[in-house]
Amino acid sequence: GRPVAQAGLLAEADGGLVVAAMAARMGQGPAAHLAAALDTGLLRVERDGLAEVRPARFGLILLDEGIGEDEAVPATLADRLAFHLDLTDVALKETAPSPSAGAEGTGDDAGSGDDHLAALCRTASALGVASLRGPLLALRVARLIAALDGRSDLRESDAVEAAGLVLAPRATRLP
């Protein structure tokens, strides 16, 4: 006989992944809702006079089988995602890890995260990437690359690899 708040899809996805099929056909409303949850890690639920804030920290994967010229992933989400992968010419058997995965690093000089962030910002600017999210995501990816290599220090090669993965697909011009 009284309203009861229930967890929605995004609150239930806390700590997991949300996979959105046919993302290019997603409306602006759902895209804005996902973007807000990605930005804050929280979800505000309001229904029948009840208001509640729930954690909603999740990874987001946007899928689309055939993006035409007139279709694109909503810009509010594309700006918040680190990677854009075009798997058109990739066969499933080609996705197995190579035997050289996990090889030792190059041993180049480590630097502070601020040094690498400044370099990534300069690279983003040279590539015409207008959003500051690109370099920040690239820095996070560089740190992940170092961690996957078993290191806590960040190397220039980590930042270069991250720039290729995160900034290159966002480029609007060549330096």
Side-chain angles (χ1 to χ4, degrees), residues 26-89:
M26 182 182 297
Q28 291 300 318
H33 197 65
L34 282 169
L38 285 171
D39 285 347
T40 63
L42 298 172
L43 185 62
R44 182 168 173 80
V45 180
E46 293 183 35
R47 187 172 176 190
D48 299 327
L50 295 177
E52 187 175 348
V53 176
R54 296 182 182 220
R57 297 170 308 265
F58 55 87
L60 180 62
I61 299 173
L62 302 178
L63 301 175
D64 198 66
E65 290 88 24
I67 296 177
E69 289 182 23
D70 59 335
E71 294 180 326
V73 171
T76 54
L77 292 178
D79 189 41
R80 287 165 172 80
L81 301 180
F83 304 110
H84 171 99
L85 303 174
D86 183 355
L87 303 176
T88 304
D89 300 323

Side-chain angles (χ1 to χ4, degrees), residues 27 36-37 39 51 59 62 68 77 114 119 122 141 145 163 165 170:
D39 285 347
L62 302 178
L77 292 178
D114 290 344
R122 286 190 300 275
V141 169
I145 291 168
L165 291 168
R170 298 168 184 257

Side-chain angles (χ1 to χ4, degrees), residues 88 109 131 144 173:
T88 304
D109 292 330
S131 172
L144 179 61
R173 66 175 180 247

Side-chain angles (χ1 to χ4, degrees), residues 111-125 132-140 142-143 154-155 159 167:
S112 75
D114 290 344
D115 294 342
H116 293 294
L117 181 57
L120 288 167
C121 285
R122 286 190 300 275
T123 303
S125 177
L132 291 177
R133 285 191 180 95
L136 291 172
L137 289 169
L139 181 62
R140 290 175 68 183
R143 289 179 176 150
L154 198 56
R155 296 179 179 167
L167 299 178

